[in-house]
Every structure is written in structure tokens, then in C-alpha cells.
């Protein structure tokens, strides 16, 4: 990948991130980003929770940037499994989606 391609990719990623933090699920995304490592580590004793946490953030970012429905967001969170659901339950605005 050349330097120009890389800059273009970074610019597109920055635009997508901006859209996510301004989108439909911006509050949920901000709340997720505010969770501490200790809060996440209480879910499982290994690093699985951190991996799923990163995936959950990506799921909510994409949902917010692309303005997807709550039903689709719910399905995507549930697809992350028990750990993803437990992390989502730490966010008041996501509790109703996953319970």
C-alpha cells in the first residue's frame, strides 16, 4: 500500500469515526468508551472480554455511522455471545436491547 492510499484510507476511517460519534447511537458509544478496564475485567478472568469489548465498540460504531435499526444492532450484539451481552448490559441505553 502506497503512502497516498494509506492517507486516503485514514481519511475515510476518520470520516466514519466522526459519523459514528454523531450518529444515532452516539450516547451508547460514548458510554461504552467510558467503561474502565476494571469494569470489563470483572466479566471474565482472561483477555476474551477485552477482545469482545473492542468488537462491541466496532458494532456500535458501525450501527451509529450507518444508522441501522435497533433490531439489527441487537442481533449484532447478541452475535458477540454472552460476554458481549454482559458488557452491553453495563450501558443503560443498551440494556433494553439485550434483555
Amino acid at each position: 500500500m502506497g503512502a497516498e492510499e494509506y492517507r486516503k484510507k485514514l481519511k475515510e476511517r476518520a470520516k466514519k469515526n466522526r459519523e459514528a460519534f454523531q450518529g444515532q447511537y452516539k450516547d451508547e458509544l460514548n458510554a461504552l468508551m467510558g467503561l474502565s478496564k476494571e469494569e470489563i475485567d470483572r466479566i471474565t478472568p482472561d483477555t476474551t472480554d477485552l477482545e469482545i469489548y473492542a468488537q462491541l465498540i466496532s458494532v456500535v460504531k458501525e450501527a451509529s455511522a450507518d444508522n441501522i435499526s435497533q433490531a439489527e444492532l441487537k442481533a449484532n450484539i447478541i452475535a458477540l455471545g454472552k460476554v458481549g451481552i454482559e458488557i452491553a448490559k453495563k450501558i443503560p441505553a443498551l440494556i433494553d436491547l439485550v434483555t
Side-chain angles (χ1 to χ4, degrees):
M1 177 182 297
E4 186 60 36
E5 267 184 42
Y6 183 71
R7 280 191 290 276
K8 183 179 178 185
K9 185 177 179 178
L10 286 177
K11 190 174 182 178
E12 289 171 6
R13 184 171 293 152
K15 179 183 177 205
K16 190 84 163 177
N17 283 336
R18 199 170 34 257
E19 289 170 352
F21 282 97
Q22 296 171 350
Q24 177 179 357
Y25 302 107
K26 66 182 178 199
D27 295 336
E28 291 86 343
L29 185 55
N30 284 323
L32 271 173
M33 300 292 286
L35 291 176
S36 70
K37 184 178 182 314
E38 291 77 26
E39 289 175 289
I40 297 163
D41 281 343
R42 285 186 215 128
I43 295 171
T44 62
D46 59 17
T47 59
T48 302
D49 52 356
L50 292 175
E51 293 172 32
I52 300 296
Y53 173 63
Q55 291 174 15
L56 179 60
I57 288 172
S58 293
V59 163
V60 177
K61 268 186 182 179
E62 292 296 316
S64 190
D66 296 340
N67 201 28
I68 69 166
S69 71
Q70 284 189 342
E72 189 173 347
L73 175 57
K74 177 181 180 175
N76 291 339
I77 292 171
I78 290 172
L80 294 175
K82 181 181 177 195
V83 173
I85 292 168
E86 289 303 311
I87 296 170
K89 285 180 180 178
K90 294 188 173 292
I91 308 304
L94 293 177
I95 290 173
D96 290 339
L97 282 180
V98 294
T99 54

